[in-house]
Amino acid sequence: MQLYDSRTQKKITIPNDQVGMYCCGPTVYNDVHIGNVRPLITFDILYRYLLHSKIKTTYVHNITDVDDKIINKAQEVNVSESKISEEYTDHYTTVMKQLNALKMDELPKVTKNIDGIIKYVEKLVNLDKAYVSQEGDVYFSIDTVKDTYGEISKQNIEQLLDGVRKENKKDKRNLLDFVLWKKTDLGINWKTPWSEHGRPGWHTECAYFINKFFGDTVTIHGGGIDLKFPHHENENAQNIALTGKEMASVWMHVGHININNVKMSKSLNNFIYAKDLISDYGSNVIRWYFLQAHYASPMNFSKDLMEQNRNEFNKFIKLINNALVQLLLFQVDYKFEQVEVSREFKNYMEDNLDFANVVSLLWSKAKGLTTPIRNKTFDAVIDTLNNMISELEILGITVETKFDKSVVSIIADWRKALETKDYKTADAKRNELQILNII
């Protein structure tokens, strides 16, 4: 399988025996939005495919539960930080379940790993890759990795320095140096060798988690495109300083989402929250929407587009339902069995998750059901259904293969009408299924 690597700007072949995968998770101070959902679904599909391919995969997805944003939110509503972080962590895990995302192997919280993070920072300080400032903050020294810093985001240090505000902290050795441990007594904090009160820097959390769960290097590391710089760049800098190695074989970045052709922003208050999206469209339609473009490409969201995707998905499902109805109509026993996916599906998935061609392939199979149905070659219908539904499962899309009693009763009446050549009743029963939006 090949995935595009942002650092080398090439497709990299990943191992076919064992894979480590890390996706940056949310800071839990508010409900997650559509921009958070896209990486979640993209990595879930990749995880599902690797598992289907019998590749031993370890998937880690962190929860940032200590942050200035959490502190500010807690003060705003006059509750504890832990109450805020626990509430929105619960909200996030609920969203994951509602979106049919598989459970990760590890979902670590920052607050449960403070001792490890302190020791991680201490190693960098002892190696002179980081230093304690006069104010008691611990900074990573960019100069120690100046030959590699900027490789992921394709920027050089001189260009970056031009964009740095000169009024930045005076006790930094380099204006690009970033905080590994922040000295503060505001909000939840911990004692360290450098200060009585403080908490970890954001970039250090993920760097530590990768080191903890994967060692020197992880196979795949990713998240939204907005994390490429400075977050992923700063994570990689720490790893190179500590181990002498690149943090990831593949840096995988998921494209951003515009709302009605405008970038999401706090100032415009145009966030689309995941909980509202799920309530309006459900998991299947949301996943279908994200499959319409390559994961790395930007996407536009609008209600018109979502309605269009809902209608298209319903048409697609009706082609499957029609096959299921025909099997019942002609009393052919059918129970879904998971099967090996098609070679075409594998080729598209293994070519950097070519979602658009995967969708085209599924449409072709669904439309192709009409021929064996017409010819009453039901073994071919069953084979196609099993194959399609197995592929849809990898995409996290669920298809109900059983109808409720009322629908089964209509189909039975339709069959009796055909057997007695009562075509008027047969047509009426078929129309009932159309009115119910089944076929």
Side-chain angles (χ1 to χ4, degrees), residues 178-419:
F178 56 89
V179 69
L180 302 181
W181 190 271
K182 179 179 180 179
K183 180 184 177 182
T184 179
D185 58 4
L186 181 64
I188 186 172
N189 57 79
W190 295 266
K191 183 178 179 180
T192 70
W194 321 288
S195 59
E196 287 294 316
H197 308 282
R199 61 177 179 273
W202 178 41
H203 307 307
T204 306
E205 300 165 11
C206 291
Y208 165 71
F209 283 137
I210 286 175
N211 186 265
K212 174 180 178 178
F213 292 108
F214 302 106
D216 292 353
T217 303
V218 65
T219 315
I220 303 162
H221 183 12
I225 188 70
D226 56 306
L227 299 180
K228 185 186 287 189
F229 184 85
H231 188 51
H232 287 166
E233 200 74 70
N234 289 350
E235 287 181 54
N236 196 43
Q238 293 169 78
N239 199 75
I240 290 174
L242 188 64
T243 70
K245 299 177 182 179
E246 295 288 339
M247 176 173 275
S249 301
V250 174
W251 289 92
M252 186 174 163
H253 292 106
V254 178
H256 64 263
I257 295 178
N258 292 326
I259 307 299
N260 297 313
N261 294 308
V262 177
K263 185 178 179 180
M264 278 194 299
S265 69
K266 290 181 180 178
S267 59
L268 294 174
N269 194 30
N270 62 346
F271 286 92
I272 303 295
Y273 290 106
K275 62 180 182 180
D276 299 325
L277 198 65
I278 294 166
S279 175
D280 290 342
Y281 301 102
S283 173
N284 282 347
V285 173
I286 293 169
R287 283 179 175 265
W288 190 255
Y289 158 72
F290 284 124
L291 291 171
Q292 304 308 308
H294 192 273
Y295 73 83
S297 300
M299 290 188 78
N300 185 50
F301 171 91
S302 71
K303 288 188 176 180
D304 287 344
L305 273 174
M306 288 305 294
E307 287 302 325
Q308 178 183 326
N309 273 278
R310 193 208 303 265
N311 292 336
E312 288 296 309
F313 182 73
N314 285 342
K315 289 178 183 177
F316 173 78
I317 289 299
K318 284 177 185 178
L319 291 171
I320 294 176
N321 284 347
N322 185 60
L324 295 170
V325 167
Q326 294 297 320
L327 292 177
L328 274 175
L329 187 63
F330 290 96
Q331 296 182 292
V332 178
D333 289 334
Y334 174 68
K335 182 180 180 181
F336 167 68
E337 292 182 6
Q338 191 173 60
V339 297
E340 180 63 24
V341 297
S342 65
R343 172 41 56 188
E344 296 95 331
F345 182 85
K346 284 185 175 181
N347 288 343
Y348 292 137
M349 290 294 289
E350 294 182 5
D351 184 14
N352 195 31
L353 300 180
D354 187 352
F355 290 156
N357 273 321
V358 165
V359 171
S360 295
L361 175 66
L362 288 166
W363 268 115
S364 177
K365 291 180 180 181
K367 291 175 180 177
L369 283 165
T370 57
T371 299
I373 288 172
R374 184 170 56 248
N375 295 335
K376 295 183 176 58
T377 51
F378 294 119
D379 285 346
V381 174
I382 290 171
D383 288 344
T384 301
L385 283 173
N386 284 339
N387 181 255
M388 285 180 64
I389 296 171
S390 295
E391 292 171 351
L392 287 166
E393 281 192 348
I394 290 173
L395 301 175
I397 292 174
T398 56
V399 177
E400 181 57 63
T401 59
K402 292 183 179 179
F403 299 117
D404 63 32
K405 291 181 180 179
S406 62
V407 172
V408 172
S409 178
I410 293 170
I411 297 170
D413 290 342
W414 182 7
R415 181 174 61 252
K416 290 175 185 176
L418 289 174
E419 288 171 351

